[in-house]
Amino acid sequence: VVVQPGRGESCQNMVFVGEAHPLARSIPDMDMRTTAEGSPRERRGEVARIEAGIPRFGAEMDENVLPQECGLGETAVSYQKGCYIGQEVLNRIHSFGHVNRELRGFVPVVDALPAKGDKILCQGKEVGQLTSVTRSLKYGRNIALGYLRREAMQAGAELFVQSPAGLDPIKTVALPFAL
């Protein structure tokens, strides 16, 4: 199955699902710097997932992440269903309106590719962490997913990613990416 995100786009922006399509084998491996491992097709799928801002269990989600933190509160949680484990916590968040951190999209200001796990700083204080990073084929630049604390989500907040090389400025963007 071939899924093309937009009309008139090149085959570099297609995502191949299922058996390898002959066209998928003909696409050259471009710059596939990503947190994904595996075959070129698996890496392309990971790049498309990150570009779409879709959380993945094991990267953005685990047993310590609430559905509302990764943007799944309205689609993956039933607030009308009967008793289930964690229902009180999820309903309390739904009633009071916010969580303390949320999944966000990030774009480094410089062309350095950050690493999974790099810390996000605001005014010298740790306010988040990157969970998935890649070189976007669609946008031709580095992008990342990660969690950001509520206090750093204010407009104009200067954010930096801390890597072994030092501090690099980084910007937040809405998900899915639309650069």
Side-chain angles (χ1 to χ4, degrees), residues 43-66:
R43 293 194 311 265
R44 283 188 189 94
E46 179 73 350
V47 170
R49 177 191 74 80
I50 295 169
E51 289 172 341
I54 298 171
R56 177 174 57 85
F57 196 83
E60 287 74 35
M61 298 182 294
D62 63 19
E63 64 277 357
N64 298 312
V65 176
L66 297 168

Side-chain angles (χ1 to χ4, degrees), residues 97-160:
H98 74 272
V99 288
N100 291 328
R101 65 180 184 156
E102 291 180 8
L103 184 66
R104 295 287 185 194
F106 295 93
V107 177
V109 174
V110 297
D111 197 38
L113 183 70
K116 176 182 176 178
D118 280 355
K119 307 292 184 213
I120 301 167
L121 305 176
C122 182
Q123 298 178 348
K125 179 182 173 188
E126 183 181 325
V127 293
Q129 183 173 353
L130 299 179
T131 55
S132 295
V133 298
T134 193
R135 176 79 179 174
S136 170
L137 301 177
K138 186 175 185 177
Y139 301 113
R141 60 190 307 180
N142 297 326
I143 61 173
L145 295 176
Y147 284 97
L148 189 63
R149 292 196 51 80
R150 189 168 186 77
E151 65 265 18
M153 292 181 204
Q154 301 159 0
E158 290 187 4
L159 302 175
F160 297 89

Side-chain angles (χ1 to χ4, degrees), residues 19-75:
E19 292 301 311
H21 188 278
L23 186 56
R25 290 190 294 271
S26 70
I27 297 174
D29 274 341
M30 296 178 62
D31 186 355
M32 293 303 298
R33 295 179 291 170
T34 180
T35 54
E37 296 180 6
S39 71
R41 187 175 63 169
E42 291 168 326
R43 293 194 311 265
R44 283 188 189 94
E46 179 73 350
V47 170
R49 177 191 74 80
I50 295 169
E51 289 172 341
I54 298 171
R56 177 174 57 85
F57 196 83
E60 287 74 35
M61 298 182 294
D62 63 19
E63 64 277 357
N64 298 312
V65 176
L66 297 168
Q68 292 93 335
E69 291 177 324
C70 59
L72 298 176
E74 297 304 316
T75 58

